[in-house]
Amino acid sequence: MTVEEGMKQTENANELLIEVNNLMSEAVVNAYMFTWQWWFGVGLFIIPWIIWFLFRDKKSTGRLLIGGFVTVIFSLIIDLIALSYGLWSYPIKFSPIAPLLFLPYHFSLDPVAIMFVIQMKPKMNPLLKGIIFAAIAAFGGMNFFAMIDFYNPKGWSTIYDFFIFLSTFLVAYWLSNMDSFKKLTDRS
């Protein structure tokens, strides 16, 4: 295949992606919007952040947000890869504007849960905290979301989810606990 043929194939794929996005947006507007599932998903976007805002360790807000933002980035990257290979899917969508990955798992549940776990019992072994968090998230949370049709594992083993959650937690923990956080100063 030549570069020109590859560019043409890429453009055709982009047109198909636009068509898929339009179909998903139509499903959100005509099938999901204002159902109990949609309201539940909207609540999963908003309520965890309200709870975090009220109960976070206010002196460590910046550090915790680093862990949360890293979690968002990791969640999106992992889902982009997995969804592109059809390893799992999310049957219910919540936003007609960006239906593919604009989900409460990425932008609310995962980051807020990890930020709370990081701030709880700060002297506890992070590996043990990560294992407990990953077990609850994978074996409890993912199975619950599969049960209510928010998540379709398509044969994906929950043990893999466990290791994804554990890895995500450990990276977020490590970055949020770095000692190199200092105020920026003018070096001139």
Side-chain angles (χ1 to χ4, degrees):
M1 177 182 300
T2 66
V3 171
E4 289 79 19
E5 290 170 333
M7 290 173 69
K8 183 174 179 164
Q9 187 172 346
T10 301
E11 191 56 40
N12 289 340
N14 283 332
E15 290 174 16
L16 289 172
L17 285 173
I18 291 168
E19 186 177 330
V20 166
N21 193 46
N22 288 337
L23 287 171
M24 288 186 180
S25 295
E26 186 178 310
V28 170
V29 171
N30 295 322
Y32 306 134
M33 197 169 277
F34 304 120
T35 63
W36 75 265
Q37 294 96 332
W38 186 81
W39 283 112
F40 186 62
V42 169
L44 291 176
F45 270 112
I46 298 167
I47 294 169
W49 281 108
I50 292 170
I51 293 169
W52 180 81
F53 185 78
L54 294 173
F55 297 105
R56 75 191 187 283
D57 179 356
K58 288 159 185 63
K59 292 178 278 181
S60 298
T61 297
R63 286 183 177 276
L64 293 170
L65 283 172
I66 293 287
F69 290 141
V70 166
T71 302
V72 169
I73 292 166
F74 265 49
S75 297
L76 288 171
I77 290 170
I78 290 166
D79 266 358
L80 278 171
I81 293 167
L83 292 171
S84 68
Y85 286 104
L87 299 176
W88 63 71
S89 67
Y90 299 105
I92 304 277
K93 309 297 182 202
F94 303 98
S95 168
I97 297 169
L100 186 61
L101 288 176
F102 194 68
L103 300 168
Y105 325 110
H106 306 117
F107 294 100
S108 187
L109 291 176
D110 275 355
V112 169
I114 284 179
M115 289 186 298
F116 269 127
V117 173
I118 288 171
Q119 86 175 27
M120 289 183 342
K121 297 199 177 280
K123 304 262 190 247
M124 185 176 174
N125 182 320
L127 181 59
L128 181 59
K129 280 174 42 169
I131 289 170
I132 293 168
F133 164 74
I136 293 168
F139 299 109
M142 297 308 286
N143 288 330
F144 170 73
F145 287 120
M147 184 180 68
I148 63 170
D149 294 325
F150 276 34
Y151 168 66
N152 179 0
K154 295 185 176 185
W156 180 261
S157 174
T158 306
I159 195 72
Y160 299 151
D161 289 327
F162 170 83
F163 286 109
I164 289 171
F165 282 116
L166 178 60
S167 301
T168 304
F169 171 80
L170 290 174
V171 170
Y173 177 86
W174 176 70
L175 287 172
S176 66
N177 280 283
M178 291 189 322
D179 288 331
S180 62
F181 284 97
K182 299 280 186 219
K183 287 193 178 206
L184 294 173
T185 59
D186 188 12
R187 293 185 181 196
S188 53

PDB file of all heavy atoms in Angstrom, residues 34 47 97 110 142 188:
ATOM      1  N   PHE A  34     -32.997  10.613  29.621  1.00  0.00           N
ATOM      2  CA  PHE A  34     -34.058  10.744  30.614  1.00  0.00           C
ATOM      3  C   PHE A  34     -34.615   9.404  31.098  1.00  0.00           C
ATOM      4  O   PHE A  34     -35.625   9.385  31.793  1.00  0.00           O
ATOM      5  CB  PHE A  34     -35.186  11.656  30.119  1.00  0.00           C
ATOM      6  CG  PHE A  34     -34.680  13.022  29.716  1.00  0.00           C
ATOM      7  CD1 PHE A  34     -34.863  13.481  28.411  1.00  0.00           C
ATOM      8  CD2 PHE A  34     -33.991  13.833  30.609  1.00  0.00           C
ATOM      9  CE1 PHE A  34     -34.385  14.720  28.028  1.00  0.00           C
ATOM     10  CE2 PHE A  34     -33.520  15.074  30.233  1.00  0.00           C
ATOM     11  CZ  PHE A  34     -33.714  15.522  28.938  1.00  0.00           C
ATOM     12  N   ILE A  47     -22.220  13.327  41.470  1.00  0.00           N
ATOM     13  CA  ILE A  47     -22.233  13.074  42.914  1.00  0.00           C
ATOM     14  C   ILE A  47     -20.846  12.738  43.482  1.00  0.00           C
ATOM     15  O   ILE A  47     -20.483  13.277  44.533  1.00  0.00           O
ATOM     16  CB  ILE A  47     -23.290  12.017  43.269  1.00  0.00           C
ATOM     17  CG1 ILE A  47     -24.682  12.596  42.978  1.00  0.00           C
ATOM     18  CG2 ILE A  47     -23.173  11.567  44.718  1.00  0.00           C
ATOM     19  CD1 ILE A  47     -25.812  11.599  43.038  1.00  0.00           C
ATOM     20  N   ILE A  97     -22.896  14.433  22.631  1.00  0.00           N
ATOM     21  CA  ILE A  97     -21.812  15.197  22.016  1.00  0.00           C
ATOM     22  C   ILE A  97     -20.564  14.341  21.836  1.00  0.00           C
ATOM     23  O   ILE A  97     -19.928  14.366  20.796  1.00  0.00           O
ATOM     24  CB  ILE A  97     -21.496  16.453  22.851  1.00  0.00           C
ATOM     25  CG1 ILE A  97     -22.723  17.349  22.860  1.00  0.00           C
ATOM     26  CG2 ILE A  97     -20.283  17.186  22.314  1.00  0.00           C
ATOM     27  CD1 ILE A  97     -22.649  18.490  23.843  1.00  0.00           C
ATOM     28  N   ASP A 110     -13.636   6.492  38.736  1.00  0.00           N
ATOM     29  CA  ASP A 110     -12.246   6.058  38.920  1.00  0.00           C
ATOM     30  C   ASP A 110     -11.402   7.118  39.618  1.00  0.00           C
ATOM     31  O   ASP A 110     -10.770   6.826  40.637  1.00  0.00           O
ATOM     32  CB  ASP A 110     -11.601   5.692  37.577  1.00  0.00           C
ATOM     33  CG  ASP A 110     -11.880   4.271  37.161  1.00  0.00           C
ATOM     34  OD1 ASP A 110     -12.493   3.519  37.927  1.00  0.00           O
ATOM     35  OD2 ASP A 110     -11.470   3.912  36.043  1.00  0.00           O
ATOM     36  N   MET A 142     -17.125  -3.528  38.618  1.00  0.00           N
ATOM     37  CA  MET A 142     -17.276  -3.924  37.203  1.00  0.00           C
ATOM     38  C   MET A 142     -18.383  -4.959  37.038  1.00  0.00           C
ATOM     39  O   MET A 142     -19.125  -4.925  36.057  1.00  0.00           O
ATOM     40  CB  MET A 142     -15.951  -4.442  36.647  1.00  0.00           C
ATOM     41  CG  MET A 142     -14.847  -3.392  36.640  1.00  0.00           C
ATOM     42  SD  MET A 142     -15.299  -1.820  35.855  1.00  0.00           S
ATOM     43  CE  MET A 142     -15.290  -2.282  34.143  1.00  0.00           C
ATOM     44  N   SER A 188      15.322  34.240  36.673  1.00  0.00           N
ATOM     45  CA  SER A 188      16.097  35.294  36.027  1.00  0.00           C
ATOM     46  C   SER A 188      16.816  36.190  36.989  1.00  0.00           C
ATOM     47  O   SER A 188      16.764  36.145  38.150  1.00  0.00           O
ATOM     48  CB  SER A 188      15.219  36.151  35.136  1.00  0.00           C
ATOM     49  OG  SER A 188      14.096  36.628  35.846  1.00  0.00           O
TER      50      SER A 188
END
